[in-house]
Amino acid sequence: MLVGSAAPWTMNSRALASSCDDHIVRVGSMSSPDSMNPFATWGSFGSAVYTYDFLVGVDAQRHPDRKGFAKSWSVAHDNVTWTFKIWPGMKWSDGEPATARDAAFTYNYLRDSIGKPDELNAGSNNTKGLEDIESITALDDETLRIVTKKPSRWPIDHTTWIVPAHIWKDISYADARSSFRNDPPQVGTGPMILEEFQQGQFARFTPNPYFRTGQPKTAGLIIQFFATVDSIAQGLKSGSLDYGDGLTAAQSADLSKDPDIVVGESRIEQRNYLAFNTQSGKGEGSTKALQDQAFRDAIGYAIDQQAIVDRALRGHGDPGVGLVMPAAKDYYSDLSGIRRHFDLAEAGRRLDAAGYRDTNGDGVREDKEGNSLQLELITGTISGNIELPIAAVQLIAGWLGQIGIPISVTQLDSGALNARVAAPEKGGGGWDLLVGSSWRSPSPLDLLILGSSKAIGAQNRSYWKDEQFDKLVSEVDVTVDLAKTQDLIDQAVRLIYKQAPYIMLCYPNVIAAHRKDCFDGWGTEDAISQWGYFPLDRLGPHNG
């Protein structure tokens, strides 16, 4: 018993040693997974990403030197037949061949669970999108064919990890979605293989000797889980950590003074927004003004996005414009020609013209029913997202107060916030304004999901619905051609901008820091990728 209870302490003591001595990369994280089973949880992403490969995914489309399980891919002229060439001679970390048959197994394992009591829809490896797949076939060890029922970019945009058939083929669906923990040592094709996991404490990885570009040059990886980002910043300063992200602006300024630390930032897919409760009937807000496009549009002129970036984010981000964030370079638009500008007087004029005046001179505007406007703004932290400082909410409340719309702010924990913004038929609603955030993939459907009527009560927090917008989403869903997809997304983004169920506040950057005294090969724009295992596949001991 004594030996067993001492093990975590021993591991933590080892984790605090200098990585320059043992060549083990030490990373600090606040995302502590509850399980390492990707079919049962979303929480393991930040750890599982080092062990497993996506077939394609985000990084492989953005960077030619960051391919996943597939070496190359193509789509036929019919726009439904996709062919993927798998790396020849690739092996799993236990030495077994890693082939197209493993990829086919992964997808068919998921797809065959659809509609069953234990459907695999509980984790990051899930059935979403597979209902639109006609067939998934391994033509040989190096060739995978996916045929979709309709044109779709799902085969390259989805983020499902390819798992080894010889490990998972005997795992029932009931176990895969719940009790099977996928305990280490795991078997994967990534550069680092999970060897030890202590929930809430650490995850320890060793180099994959069979990694397709050669065994990594480091001696391994340890991810330490912390409750606060302050602990990560202190670990970087003391030298007990080599990398940490999610840092604050103040920590960035402090760490930048250390000659052994490089602080950087990169654009991500998070967008912070002000949402209006546009619901009519059950779950509607305190005034029908929220359902009026003219009222929402006028409020848009009272939001100074640049001030939010400068004062709340201290410059570490971009001012909000439309649904698409700058990180999604293929689809971003600055919406020139229709973009609002910050002008409180203009906001007031538009509110007057729309019928929301202060008729009794008390400094508060009335709605069209003659009731004084007093709006509740709810906000709170969303797990996994970069937190927007409360200063941004205070700025918004101040600006709206100046144009005659008093705001009361309610701060909620994540559970209470999710309950308030749930679909009205599930007890949600009754609020007026929401300052929230969304961090999803840069795939076309994820970019538009905030406005999809199918996502009301989930990602669509405004309860807004529009037939034309939904039609554009449906067209995007069956479009493979990039230029046509870009045009459809631009139409949708402009439509929802004008209707204004959301006012985009900002797109925060992730602030990261790494020490440069122990390892070489860190990335420049992204020291460690948010969508893959770069640069753990190529990091090496410092030669200086």
Side-chain angles (χ1 to χ4, degrees):
M1 289 177 63
L2 288 173
V3 172
S5 63
W9 182 88
T10 303
M11 184 63 234
N12 287 338
S13 298
R14 288 170 54 199
L16 292 173
S18 171
S19 56
C20 295
D21 298 331
D22 59 19
H23 305 313
I24 295 175
V25 184
R26 289 169 171 79
V27 171
S29 174
M30 290 196 299
S31 297
S32 178
D34 52 353
S35 165
M36 286 297 182
N37 176 357
F39 295 93
T41 181
W42 290 86
S44 64
F45 186 97
S47 300
V49 74
Y50 299 107
T51 293
Y52 298 109
D53 271 302
F54 300 128
L55 184 64
V56 179
V58 176
D59 262 9
Q61 294 185 68
R62 288 180 174 174
H63 306 278
D65 63 337
R66 300 188 193 179
K67 298 290 178 59
F69 203 82
K71 180 180 181 181
S72 62
W73 57 90
S74 61
V75 61
H77 292 300
D78 63 7
N79 283 334
V80 299
T81 304
W82 292 81
T83 302
F84 300 85
K85 299 304 291 185
I86 308 304
W87 295 95
M90 185 164 58
K91 293 183 178 181
W92 293 103
S93 54
D94 62 359
E96 292 291 318
T99 73
R101 304 182 199 284
D102 292 289
F105 163 80
T106 301
Y107 297 123
N108 286 320
Y109 182 64
L110 285 163
R111 190 169 68 124
D112 291 347
S113 78
I114 294 176
K116 295 181 178 178
D118 296 312
E119 180 175 340
L120 297 175
N121 54 12
S124 48
N125 269 20
N126 59 68
T127 55
K128 181 183 177 183
L130 283 163
E131 67 275 4
D132 295 323
I133 302 301
E134 183 67 36
S135 64
I136 303 160
T137 310
L139 302 182
D140 55 46
D141 282 355
E142 297 176 12
T143 310
L144 178 73
R145 184 178 66 196
I146 298 179
V147 180
T148 59
K149 295 177 181 178
K150 58 186 180 182
S152 170
R153 292 179 59 87
W154 181 90
I156 58 174
D157 284 342
H158 72 279
T159 49
T160 298
W161 282 303
I162 307 302
V163 299
H166 65 281
I167 299 294
W168 287 87
K169 62 183 176 62
D170 295 324
I171 307 298
S172 69
Y173 291 144
D175 288 344
R177 61 171 285 135
S178 59
S179 61
F180 181 67
R181 293 186 56 81
N182 195 28
D183 287 328
Q186 291 181 345
V187 177
T189 51
M192 293 288 166
I193 303 303
L194 183 69
E195 289 288 342
E196 186 178 6
F197 171 55
Q198 292 288 339
Q199 187 173 341
Q201 296 183 52
F202 64 85
R204 181 174 62 86
F205 301 76
T206 56
N208 180 358
Y210 297 103
F211 187 60
R212 58 183 171 271
T213 59
Q215 179 173 323
K217 299 174 183 177
T218 62
L221 164 70
I222 293 173
I223 302 177
Q224 286 184 263
F225 305 121
F226 296 96
T228 69
V229 72
D230 288 337
S231 299
I232 295 176
Q234 289 302 316
L236 286 163
K237 292 181 73 172
S238 69
S240 63
L241 293 177
D242 298 296
Y243 174 87
D245 63 16
L247 301 169
T248 66
Q251 290 163 343
S252 169
D254 182 47
L255 293 172
S256 295
K257 300 173 185 176
D258 191 319
D260 289 325
I261 296 177
V262 176
V263 179
E265 58 187 290
S266 56
R267 285 171 164 165
I268 56 174
E269 291 76 16
Q270 182 170 322
R271 46 198 168 183
N272 290 78
Y273 54 75
L274 174 69
F276 297 84
N277 179 349
T278 67
Q279 177 72 4
S280 174
K282 183 178 181 180
E284 69 182 12
S286 65
T287 173
K288 293 189 181 299
L290 300 164
Q291 303 165 30
D292 184 354
Q293 179 271 340
F295 176 82
R296 302 191 301 262
D297 177 65
I299 297 298
Y301 286 86
I303 307 298
D304 187 347
Q305 284 93 341
Q306 188 62 56
I308 289 174
V309 170
D310 293 341
R311 295 165 65 179
L313 298 183
R314 299 194 189 182
H316 298 287
D318 294 291
V321 186
L323 278 187
V324 181
M325 66 297 296
K329 296 178 182 179
D330 285 341
Y331 306 110
Y332 176 73
S333 169
D334 65 2
L335 299 182
S336 58
I338 65 169
R339 186 171 177 175
R340 303 179 193 92
H341 55 280
F342 176 63
D343 187 333
L344 292 176
E346 178 66 16
R349 286 191 291 270
R350 287 175 178 263
L351 287 170
D352 286 344
Y356 302 98
R357 299 172 176 270
D358 174 15
T359 59
N360 60 10
D362 66 352
V364 178
R365 295 177 182 271
E366 294 91 39
D367 62 18
K368 294 180 180 179
E369 288 70 42
N371 301 313
S372 294
L373 290 168
Q374 170 70 51
L375 303 184
E376 180 196 24
L377 185 157
I378 62 173
T379 189
T381 57
I382 298 177
S383 178
N385 289 5
I386 293 176
E387 186 174 353
L388 183 66
I390 194 64
V393 175
Q394 295 167 340
L395 287 170
I396 293 167
W399 292 322
L400 296 190
Q402 290 181 60
I403 59 172
I405 303 176
I407 300 295
S408 63
V409 176
T410 303
Q411 287 186 270
L412 303 167
D413 61 33
S414 59
L417 183 64
N418 287 334
R420 289 291 303 273
V421 299
E425 59 268 24
K426 295 183 178 180
W431 50 273
D432 298 323
L433 304 173
L434 162 71
V435 169
S437 62
S438 169
W439 187 354
R440 297 179 67 84
S441 82
S443 69
L445 292 180
D446 273 354
L447 293 175
L448 301 180
I449 199 165
L450 290 186
S452 170
S453 64
K454 294 180 180 179
I456 287 176
Q459 290 80 21
N460 182 347
R461 297 291 177 86
S462 70
Y463 309 139
W464 178 77
K465 60 181 70 174
D466 182 273
E467 288 186 8
Q468 180 60 27
F469 187 91
D470 282 342
K471 182 174 180 293
L472 288 167
V473 171
S474 296
E475 290 185 55
V476 167
D477 191 26
V478 295
T479 301
V480 172
D481 179 73
L482 178 60
K484 186 177 179 182
T485 302
Q486 290 170 326
D487 178 64
L488 290 169
I489 289 178
D490 187 65
Q491 292 181 53
V493 169
R494 289 175 180 273
L495 187 159
I496 196 171
Y497 185 88
K498 292 178 181 178
Q499 288 294 314
Y502 300 92
I503 305 297
M504 290 298 139
L505 302 175
C506 58
Y507 315 109
N509 292 343
V510 62
I511 305 175
H514 67 270
R515 296 191 64 87
K516 59 183 181 180
D517 49 355
C518 292
F519 298 101
D520 293 332
W522 299 99
T524 50
E525 290 186 6
D526 51 353
I528 288 184
S529 170
Q530 299 292 323
W531 289 105
Y533 43 66
F534 170 86
L536 271 298
D537 56 335
R538 61 199 76 181
L539 212 60
H542 180 54
N543 292 320

